[in-house]
Amino acid sequence: MGVVVTSPQFKDNARQAMADAPLQRALGHVRKNFIERRAAAAAGLPEFEALRDSARDIKNHTLAHLDLYLEEWERKVLAAGGHVHWARNAAEANRAIVDICKARGAKTVTKGKSMISEEIGLNDALAAAGVAAIETDLGEYIIQLRGEHPSHIIAPAVHLNKDQVESDFRRVHTHLPKERDLAEPTALLAEARAVLRQKFIEADVGITGANFLVAETGSSVIVTNEGNGDLTQTLPKVHVVIASIEKITPTMEDVAQLLRVLARSATGQEMSVYTTFSTGPRRPGDPDGPQEYHVVVLDNGRSSMLGGDFEDMLRCIRCGACMNHCPVYHAVGGHAYGWVYPGPMGSVLTPTLIGVDKAGHLPNASTFCGRCESVCPVRIPLPKMMRHWREREFERNLSPAALRSGLKLWAFFARRPALYRLATRLSTKALHLMGRTKGRFAKMPLASGWTDHRDLAAPQADTFQALWKQRRETR
Amino acid sequence: MTARDDILANIRRARGVAGGEAPRRAAVEERLARAPTGIIPARARGDAAHRLALFRARVEAASASFATVADAAAAPDEIARYLRDANLPATLRMGADPRLAALPWAGTAIEIARGASDGHDLNAVSFAFAGIAETGTLALVSGPDNPTTLNFLPDNHIVLIEAADVVADMETVWARLRERFGKGALPRVLNLVTGPSRSADIEQTLLLGAHGPRRLHVVLVGAGEIGRQD
Ligand code: SF4
């Protein structure tokens, strides 16, 4: 099934999500676990904040020299016996992968988790070519059984509860005894492990994403906990990596810097269980590994983001922290965002990738509480970029008339920094009420959901500005 | 125009550069040549005793088990004990690493199989290239000595590591890799492994043994007794 864009119906999606009891139950796990685990990991490393600066700087340096690092990386891949396929857009990327599969007569491919694969709709393209794609990450496997898409970039099935997974396994795994006990999550895990083990061994091609492409060595790097990505890329004859151009990282040292913030920000681990560097195909004497190694490197609109308002977004390392800490995401989950990338990073990225006409609502899905930016490991100014979109949307008059007066009010504040600071330092509840009288927030289905949180979290930037001013005055 | 040329041209247009500018090229060449280290956490800094104690603590924090043996010759007995205590059959698959081949396996009842795994092995042993004290991570490299399939297919993975190969951080491993494989080159696969396989995809509950090994047992060779550090 294709990635049906429902972003234009964000408000309806959100309203439905708020009324969906199982979803709300599942979202409770996001609110609690991710936040606590990240906070503990950050507190456990005194250098964490300095590493975030370092990660940001590495990404900025790379983006400033992206053309040259891409060329260097390609040279290294070729030298190691690999193949590089450049793709301007989703169609070209899909074609490259389908061609590789067809040329080898592939019937089934196993897949490690890849958001780029979701972005280009790879499974559909493979199915249309008669190739069965099997997702092997446990969360991805579960949602593939349900015909759904990921609702989170690192925890694709986070919107589901255990009993839902159990009934899907009973529906699909009909070769297993009906009376088996699947009450415990461990039983579900064991069943998925056994079913997928056979698929890994039978697959003709293995497709993975990449967290990093290393220019120094021509390696692709995957970071996982389950080990499914490694089985996907080790057992079949052909390994295909699909990655976007901004995954390029100059050196191994730079990868080490990024690794130190990635897992901590994502799951609160110091390191994910498996970090794997792959360089070319099987070598003489190797007893295992793929005979062919291909990388499909995708642009899909990213090169056009360079040098503009949204360049900073290309620093994103897809850790998921921004959505884990977002009160809007907590209230509505990932599917309401209506496309592949949810949460604050999705609100910024989706309009650049599928157009502001389709995704124009998303940048409004924000309380501007600033929590996303305060946890982003590469310090992407997500609220600022959402404001950019809102300004553009307003200028282009794309917003529904009902929202316009509210946006005018907001723009009025935004263009007057002193006033804006004052307003945001006032009780956020007051701002909410002000919005309500103007018919702004009252129109939004999430108003109560996020105003509860707004009371808790003062906008970061404002706190900082106030502190800074205080400091200067006391000198 | 090919897709490649188009993408590179688009990047250069957005950057306002032609591509060949000397200062940009120099900046890239310099970074690749020098590979500057960024921020390395202080926690692993210190003498060998500190490093080994931290390594042990982080290995155990990642839900792996840990044992020490005085010298490599004692490893087979430790592995036999581990398998027995875990109620596992006395079977073991291993690669062609001469350090493994030289061990006195005959003194145990363990049945040995050699070479890559086809997915039907319960237990495997590998020799690590290095260990990283900072995070309790094992670095394993592909090849006939320690086939990559052994790191992922068996249910129980036992990894031997020489005390002298436990280093402070990733950056020291990179330096050793450059020494062994050359600058800018890596083995086909470098696996950094921190604990046994796991998933939290069902209700955010952390479960061990997703697709990779359910258990990881680390045996440190030649360090004497290691104190716990928490
Ligand atoms: S925007 Fe930042 S916090 Fe969000 S996924 Fe990307 S790197 Fe992580």
Side-chain angles (χ1 to χ4, degrees), chain A residues 255-283:
Chain A
V255 173
Q257 295 291 290
L258 295 165
L259 286 172
R260 287 192 177 99
V261 294
L262 175 58
R264 286 182 173 90
S265 302
T267 55
Q269 289 165 283
E270 296 195 337
M271 283 282 279
S272 299
V273 177
Y274 302 114
T275 301
T276 298
F277 296 70
S278 305
T279 314
R282 191 188 282 221
R283 297 184 187 171

mmCIF file of all heavy atoms in Angstrom, chain A residues 255-283:
data_model
loop_
_atom_site.group_PDB
_atom_site.id
_atom_site.type_symbol
_atom_site.label_atom_id
_atom_site.label_comp_id
_atom_site.label_asym_id
_atom_site.label_seq_id
_atom_site.Cartn_x
_atom_site.Cartn_y
_atom_site.Cartn_z
ATOM 1 N N VAL A 255 32.054 9.980 13.354
ATOM 2 C CA VAL A 255 30.996 9.013 13.664
ATOM 3 C C VAL A 255 30.957 8.764 15.177
ATOM 4 O O VAL A 255 29.882 8.691 15.783
ATOM 5 C CB VAL A 255 31.219 7.684 12.899
ATOM 6 C CG1 VAL A 255 30.210 6.631 13.348
ATOM 7 C CG2 VAL A 255 31.102 7.902 11.394
ATOM 8 N N ALA A 256 32.133 8.666 15.794
ATOM 9 C CA ALA A 256 32.181 8.409 17.240
ATOM 10 C C ALA A 256 31.482 9.525 18.019
ATOM 11 O O ALA A 256 30.757 9.264 18.986
ATOM 12 C CB ALA A 256 33.640 8.261 17.704
ATOM 13 N N GLN A 257 31.683 10.761 17.573
ATOM 14 C CA GLN A 257 31.018 11.881 18.249
ATOM 15 C C GLN A 257 29.496 11.738 18.148
ATOM 16 O O GLN A 257 28.774 11.915 19.110
ATOM 17 C CB GLN A 257 31.440 13.220 17.623
ATOM 18 C CG GLN A 257 32.911 13.549 17.791
ATOM 19 C CD GLN A 257 33.284 13.850 19.236
ATOM 20 O OE1 GLN A 257 32.908 14.865 19.800
ATOM 21 N NE2 GLN A 257 34.008 12.935 19.862
ATOM 22 N N LEU A 258 29.037 11.422 16.942
ATOM 23 C CA LEU A 258 27.591 11.327 16.715
ATOM 24 C C LEU A 258 26.997 10.128 17.449
ATOM 25 O O LEU A 258 25.892 10.198 17.989
ATOM 26 C CB LEU A 258 27.303 11.261 15.209
ATOM 27 C CG LEU A 258 27.695 12.538 14.449
ATOM 28 C CD1 LEU A 258 27.740 12.286 12.943
ATOM 29 C CD2 LEU A 258 26.725 13.674 14.759
ATOM 30 N N LEU A 259 27.745 9.027 17.496
ATOM 31 C CA LEU A 259 27.246 7.846 18.209
ATOM 32 C C LEU A 259 27.029 8.152 19.690
ATOM 33 O O LEU A 259 26.116 7.630 20.313
ATOM 34 C CB LEU A 259 28.215 6.672 18.067
ATOM 35 C CG LEU A 259 28.241 5.959 16.704
ATOM 36 C CD1 LEU A 259 29.378 4.944 16.662
ATOM 37 C CD2 LEU A 259 26.899 5.274 16.425
ATOM 38 N N ARG A 260 27.888 9.000 20.251
ATOM 39 C CA ARG A 260 27.766 9.273 21.690
ATOM 40 C C ARG A 260 26.495 10.051 22.028
ATOM 41 O O ARG A 260 26.036 10.002 23.162
ATOM 42 C CB ARG A 260 28.999 10.037 22.192
ATOM 43 C CG ARG A 260 30.242 9.165 22.268
ATOM 44 C CD ARG A 260 31.375 9.837 23.038
ATOM 45 N NE ARG A 260 32.524 8.951 23.157
ATOM 46 C CZ ARG A 260 33.602 9.015 22.364
ATOM 47 N NH1 ARG A 260 33.681 9.924 21.418
ATOM 48 N NH2 ARG A 260 34.591 8.158 22.529
ATOM 49 N N VAL A 261 25.942 10.757 21.057
ATOM 50 C CA VAL A 261 24.677 11.440 21.349
ATOM 51 C C VAL A 261 23.460 10.696 20.786
ATOM 52 O O VAL A 261 22.345 10.881 21.265
ATOM 53 C CB VAL A 261 24.656 12.908 20.858
ATOM 54 C CG1 VAL A 261 25.668 13.733 21.634
ATOM 55 C CG2 VAL A 261 24.892 13.023 19.361
ATOM 56 N N LEU A 262 23.683 9.838 19.788
ATOM 57 C CA LEU A 262 22.534 9.206 19.101
ATOM 58 C C LEU A 262 21.720 8.297 20.028
ATOM 59 O O LEU A 262 20.529 8.520 20.253
ATOM 60 C CB LEU A 262 23.029 8.423 17.874
ATOM 61 C CG LEU A 262 21.970 7.608 17.124
ATOM 62 C CD1 LEU A 262 20.825 8.485 16.636
ATOM 63 C CD2 LEU A 262 22.580 6.856 15.944
ATOM 64 N N ALA A 263 22.356 7.264 20.573
ATOM 65 C CA ALA A 263 21.591 6.290 21.362
ATOM 66 C C ALA A 263 21.072 6.917 22.649
ATOM 67 O O ALA A 263 19.948 6.642 23.077
ATOM 68 C CB ALA A 263 22.462 5.075 21.676
ATOM 69 N N ARG A 264 21.883 7.771 23.249
ATOM 70 C CA ARG A 264 21.414 8.436 24.480
ATOM 71 C C ARG A 264 20.148 9.241 24.223
ATOM 72 O O ARG A 264 19.222 9.237 25.016
ATOM 73 C CB ARG A 264 22.508 9.348 25.039
ATOM 74 C CG ARG A 264 23.646 8.600 25.697
ATOM 75 C CD ARG A 264 24.694 9.541 26.289
ATOM 76 N NE ARG A 264 25.677 8.799 27.055
ATOM 77 C CZ ARG A 264 26.804 8.290 26.556
ATOM 78 N NH1 ARG A 264 27.101 8.451 25.282
ATOM 79 N NH2 ARG A 264 27.642 7.612 27.330
ATOM 80 N N SER A 265 20.114 9.938 23.086
ATOM 81 C CA SER A 265 18.950 10.769 22.775
ATOM 82 C C SER A 265 17.752 9.913 22.375
ATOM 83 O O SER A 265 16.610 10.279 22.617
ATOM 84 C CB SER A 265 19.284 11.725 21.630
ATOM 85 O OG SER A 265 20.386 12.540 21.976
ATOM 86 N N ALA A 266 18.034 8.776 21.760
ATOM 87 C CA ALA A 266 16.954 7.957 21.211
ATOM 88 C C ALA A 266 16.297 7.099 22.281
ATOM 89 O O ALA A 266 15.114 7.234 22.565
ATOM 90 C CB ALA A 266 17.501 7.085 20.087
ATOM 91 N N THR A 267 17.086 6.188 22.862
ATOM 92 C CA THR A 267 16.527 5.195 23.786
ATOM 93 C C THR A 267 17.086 5.328 25.189
ATOM 94 O O THR A 267 16.707 4.587 26.080
ATOM 95 C CB THR A 267 16.866 3.774 23.297
ATOM 96 O OG1 THR A 267 18.282 3.693 23.140
ATOM 97 C CG2 THR A 267 16.189 3.473 21.981
ATOM 98 N N GLY A 268 18.050 6.238 25.366
ATOM 99 C CA GLY A 268 18.685 6.373 26.668
ATOM 100 C C GLY A 268 19.788 5.357 26.901
ATOM 101 O O GLY A 268 20.323 5.257 27.994
ATOM 102 N N GLN A 269 20.145 4.589 25.860
ATOM 103 C CA GLN A 269 21.289 3.683 25.981
ATOM 104 C C GLN A 269 22.572 4.474 25.747
ATOM 105 O O GLN A 269 22.554 5.496 25.074
ATOM 106 C CB GLN A 269 21.202 2.570 24.918
ATOM 107 C CG GLN A 269 20.103 1.558 25.158
ATOM 108 C CD GLN A 269 19.849 0.738 23.893
ATOM 109 O OE1 GLN A 269 19.207 1.215 22.963
ATOM 110 N NE2 GLN A 269 20.353 -0.481 23.853
ATOM 111 N N GLU A 270 23.698 3.955 26.291
ATOM 112 C CA GLU A 270 24.981 4.606 25.997
ATOM 113 C C GLU A 270 25.398 4.273 24.568
ATOM 114 O O GLU A 270 25.916 5.111 23.840
ATOM 115 C CB GLU A 270 26.038 4.117 26.967
ATOM 116 C CG GLU A 270 25.720 4.518 28.395
ATOM 117 C CD GLU A 270 26.909 4.371 29.305
ATOM 118 O OE1 GLU A 270 27.811 3.576 28.979
ATOM 119 O OE2 GLU A 270 26.921 5.064 30.334
ATOM 120 N N MET A 271 25.211 3.017 24.231
ATOM 121 C CA MET A 271 25.417 2.558 22.855
ATOM 122 C C MET A 271 24.250 1.637 22.549
ATOM 123 O O MET A 271 23.821 0.877 23.416
ATOM 124 C CB MET A 271 26.705 1.724 22.742
ATOM 125 C CG MET A 271 28.006 2.488 22.724
ATOM 126 S SD MET A 271 28.363 3.253 21.127
ATOM 127 C CE MET A 271 29.040 1.861 20.190
ATOM 128 N N SER A 272 23.770 1.667 21.333
ATOM 129 C CA SER A 272 22.824 0.642 20.927
ATOM 130 C C SER A 272 23.575 -0.684 20.915
ATOM 131 O O SER A 272 24.804 -0.710 20.945
ATOM 132 C CB SER A 272 22.256 0.956 19.553
ATOM 133 O OG SER A 272 21.581 2.203 19.608
ATOM 134 N N VAL A 273 22.864 -1.800 20.862
ATOM 135 C CA VAL A 273 23.544 -3.097 20.972
ATOM 136 C C VAL A 273 24.483 -3.331 19.786
ATOM 137 O O VAL A 273 25.632 -3.722 19.965
ATOM 138 C CB VAL A 273 22.516 -4.246 21.092
ATOM 139 C CG1 VAL A 273 23.227 -5.596 21.131
ATOM 140 C CG2 VAL A 273 21.668 -4.056 22.356
ATOM 141 N N TYR A 274 23.995 -3.068 18.584
ATOM 142 C CA TYR A 274 24.821 -3.344 17.403
ATOM 143 C C TYR A 274 25.064 -2.079 16.595
ATOM 144 O O TYR A 274 24.126 -1.463 16.090
ATOM 145 C CB TYR A 274 24.138 -4.378 16.503
ATOM 146 C CG TYR A 274 23.859 -5.677 17.216
ATOM 147 C CD1 TYR A 274 22.556 -6.095 17.466
ATOM 148 C CD2 TYR A 274 24.908 -6.485 17.658
ATOM 149 C CE1 TYR A 274 22.296 -7.288 18.129
ATOM 150 C CE2 TYR A 274 24.669 -7.672 18.330
ATOM 151 C CZ TYR A 274 23.355 -8.066 18.560
ATOM 152 O OH TYR A 274 23.107 -9.230 19.229
ATOM 153 N N THR A 275 26.328 -1.702 16.478
ATOM 154 C CA THR A 275 26.732 -0.643 15.559
ATOM 155 C C THR A 275 27.648 -1.305 14.548
ATOM 156 O O THR A 275 28.709 -1.817 14.915
ATOM 157 C CB THR A 275 27.475 0.483 16.298
ATOM 158 O OG1 THR A 275 26.611 1.015 17.297
ATOM 159 C CG2 THR A 275 27.891 1.584 15.339
ATOM 160 N N THR A 276 27.217 -1.340 13.289
ATOM 161 C CA THR A 276 27.926 -2.147 12.294
ATOM 162 C C THR A 276 28.393 -1.291 11.127
ATOM 163 O O THR A 276 27.602 -0.575 10.518
ATOM 164 C CB THR A 276 27.011 -3.287 11.793
ATOM 165 O OG1 THR A 276 26.695 -4.126 12.897
ATOM 166 C CG2 THR A 276 27.687 -4.102 10.710
ATOM 167 N N PHE A 277 29.692 -1.372 10.851
ATOM 168 C CA PHE A 277 30.303 -0.670 9.722
ATOM 169 C C PHE A 277 30.506 -1.686 8.591
ATOM 170 O O PHE A 277 31.193 -2.683 8.790
ATOM 171 C CB PHE A 277 31.677 -0.106 10.119
ATOM 172 C CG PHE A 277 31.628 0.959 11.192
ATOM 173 C CD1 PHE A 277 31.289 0.648 12.499
ATOM 174 C CD2 PHE A 277 31.946 2.280 10.891
ATOM 175 C CE1 PHE A 277 31.251 1.626 13.487
ATOM 176 C CE2 PHE A 277 31.909 3.269 11.868
ATOM 177 C CZ PHE A 277 31.560 2.942 13.167
ATOM 178 N N SER A 278 29.912 -1.416 7.425
ATOM 179 C CA SER A 278 30.045 -2.336 6.293
ATOM 180 C C SER A 278 30.784 -1.645 5.166
ATOM 181 O O SER A 278 30.436 -0.532 4.782
ATOM 182 C CB SER A 278 28.667 -2.751 5.773
ATOM 183 O OG SER A 278 27.910 -3.285 6.824
ATOM 184 N N THR A 279 31.788 -2.332 4.620
ATOM 185 C CA THR A 279 32.616 -1.733 3.585
ATOM 186 C C THR A 279 32.781 -2.728 2.440
ATOM 187 O O THR A 279 33.560 -3.674 2.543
ATOM 188 C CB THR A 279 34.001 -1.356 4.175
ATOM 189 O OG1 THR A 279 33.804 -0.689 5.429
ATOM 190 C CG2 THR A 279 34.770 -0.447 3.234
ATOM 191 N N GLY A 280 32.004 -2.537 1.401
ATOM 192 C CA GLY A 280 32.123 -3.393 0.222
ATOM 193 C C GLY A 280 31.585 -4.800 0.444
ATOM 194 O O GLY A 280 31.072 -5.134 1.501
ATOM 195 N N PRO A 281 31.696 -5.643 -0.602
ATOM 196 C CA PRO A 281 31.191 -7.020 -0.526
ATOM 197 C C PRO A 281 32.212 -7.970 0.109
ATOM 198 O O PRO A 281 33.297 -7.543 0.509
ATOM 199 C CB PRO A 281 30.985 -7.367 -1.999
ATOM 200 C CG PRO A 281 32.055 -6.598 -2.706
ATOM 201 C CD PRO A 281 32.241 -5.324 -1.926
ATOM 202 N N ARG A 282 31.833 -9.235 0.181
ATOM 203 C CA ARG A 282 32.680 -10.316 0.692
ATOM 204 C C ARG A 282 34.082 -10.251 0.070
ATOM 205 O O ARG A 282 34.228 -9.992 -1.118
ATOM 206 C CB ARG A 282 32.001 -11.638 0.304
ATOM 207 C CG ARG A 282 32.576 -12.857 0.963
ATOM 208 C CD ARG A 282 31.938 -14.104 0.350
ATOM 209 N NE ARG A 282 30.596 -14.338 0.886
ATOM 210 C CZ ARG A 282 30.141 -15.553 1.211
ATOM 211 N NH1 ARG A 282 30.902 -16.619 1.053
ATOM 212 N NH2 ARG A 282 28.917 -15.700 1.666
ATOM 213 N N ARG A 283 35.096 -10.482 0.870
ATOM 214 C CA ARG A 283 36.470 -10.431 0.365
ATOM 215 C C ARG A 283 37.054 -11.826 0.234
ATOM 216 O O ARG A 283 36.519 -12.771 0.808
ATOM 217 C CB ARG A 283 37.327 -9.593 1.325
ATOM 218 C CG ARG A 283 36.808 -8.164 1.359
ATOM 219 C CD ARG A 283 37.651 -7.242 2.194
ATOM 220 N NE ARG A 283 36.949 -5.945 2.271
ATOM 221 C CZ ARG A 283 37.328 -4.962 3.060
ATOM 222 N NH1 ARG A 283 38.389 -5.087 3.831
ATOM 223 N NH2 ARG A 283 36.644 -3.832 3.066
#
